Amino acid sequence: MTTSTTKPYDAEEIEAARKLFEGPWDFVWASTKIDDLPPMVGQEIAFAGRSNVGKSSLINGLTRRNALARTSHTPGRTQQLNFFRQVDHDERLTIVDMPGYGYAAVGKEKVAAWTRLIHEYLRGRSNLMRVYVLIDARHGIKDVDGAVLETLDKAAVSYQVVLTKGDALKKADQTFMTEATFDEIKRRPAAFPEVLLTSSETGMGIPEFRAAIGRVLGEHG
């Protein structure tokens, strides 16, 4: 499900995006500090979200790899920037898994270090096309999410909101939450005017999400 002011994704775009993601995705780099980032190859998209939003599961769903991004029942496990690419296949696109935010049990010093890393990455990565901010569809945008959106707005970093765990909602609630989320972000200066509803469990919205990424990649050459 998509709520948007942009052109709908047609069958041709969805098929092209399927092919874009069907190659052999691999983990290529991990960075815990800004001076240890990998060389810039092609274009990058980054995934941000609360620690329990299902970020790793969605990355695995997009790439059809069950264990590309590590999933864990322990929120806050990802403490670094993890980079994934189709090595020796199609290197136009790199996926960056950012450290999860909003997990209260993690020490303040560690949270501060993560925050610095994320902000420095966002400011200094010239090939970063878009940040996808994942929001749990059962809860919508919380204060901690709003703070991240505010940071992206101030930094003028293009981002798009993607709802996760959409299968947990009834059909009417799926529509309500998608439209309500769109109403919240449509006036934000750096937000792309589209909200996608997805589920890594059922595959709902995954083809459209791939097509959205493919469209951004096409726009950036």
Side-chain angles (χ1 to χ4, degrees):
M1 180 180 296
T2 304
T3 298
S4 174
T5 60
T6 63
K7 184 181 74 171
Y9 303 105
D10 57 29
E12 184 176 343
E13 278 186 294
I14 289 176
E15 174 61 14
R18 184 191 68 79
K19 293 180 179 179
L20 172 66
F21 278 88
E22 70 179 358
W25 287 85
D26 290 300
F27 168 81
V28 294
W29 202 281
S31 298
T32 57
K33 50 188 178 180
I34 200 65
D35 56 1
D36 189 33
L37 291 175
M40 288 184 280
V41 176
Q43 304 296 330
E44 291 179 356
I45 55 173
F47 287 71
R50 294 199 301 272
S51 295
N52 57 352
V53 77
K55 187 155 47 69
S56 296
S57 295
L58 190 58
I59 291 172
N60 290 337
L62 284 170
T63 58
R64 299 183 184 88
R65 291 285 300 275
N66 291 332
L68 179 65
R70 293 189 304 172
T71 59
S72 173
H73 295 296
T74 305
R77 180 175 177 178
T78 301
Q79 301 174 15
Q80 58 197 16
L81 294 169
N82 292 315
F83 294 75
F84 306 98
R85 190 182 303 135
Q86 298 179 66
V87 180
D88 298 326
H89 179 68
D90 186 341
E91 298 189 348
R92 290 179 296 162
L93 181 65
T94 298
I95 292 174
V96 185
D97 185 8
M98 303 173 72
Y101 58 79
Y103 184 53
V106 177
K108 290 184 178 180
E109 290 184 4
K110 183 171 289 187
V111 171
W114 294 0
T115 303
R116 285 195 301 273
L117 174 64
I118 290 169
H119 287 189
E120 290 172 355
Y121 167 74
L122 293 175
R123 285 198 302 266
R125 207 67 175 171
S126 61
N127 66 333
L128 176 63
M129 297 188 300
R130 183 161 294 165
V131 175
Y132 292 96
V133 182
L134 308 189
I135 304 293
D136 191 323
R138 300 170 298 177
H139 308 303
I141 297 175
K142 298 298 186 182
D143 289 345
V144 66
D145 302 307
V148 171
L149 302 185
E150 190 72 22
T151 296
L152 294 169
D153 284 330
K154 289 180 178 178
V157 174
S158 175
Y159 65 89
Q160 180 171 351
V161 170
V162 178
L163 298 175
T164 63
K165 306 181 183 182
D167 60 296
L169 300 180
K170 296 179 180 179
K171 186 70 173 179
D173 293 331
Q174 292 176 358
T175 301
F176 172 80
M177 184 56 74
T178 305
E179 293 179 350
T181 304
F182 182 77
D183 285 341
E184 285 195 52
I185 62 96
K186 64 184 180 183
R187 293 183 180 86
R188 288 187 170 273
F192 185 73
E194 176 180 72
V195 173
L196 293 168
L197 180 70
T198 67
S199 167
S200 58
E201 288 292 322
T202 67
M204 176 176 61
I206 298 297
E208 290 79 11
F209 193 6
R210 293 193 190 110
I213 295 169
R215 186 178 287 182
V216 174
L217 184 61
E219 291 171 353
H220 286 75

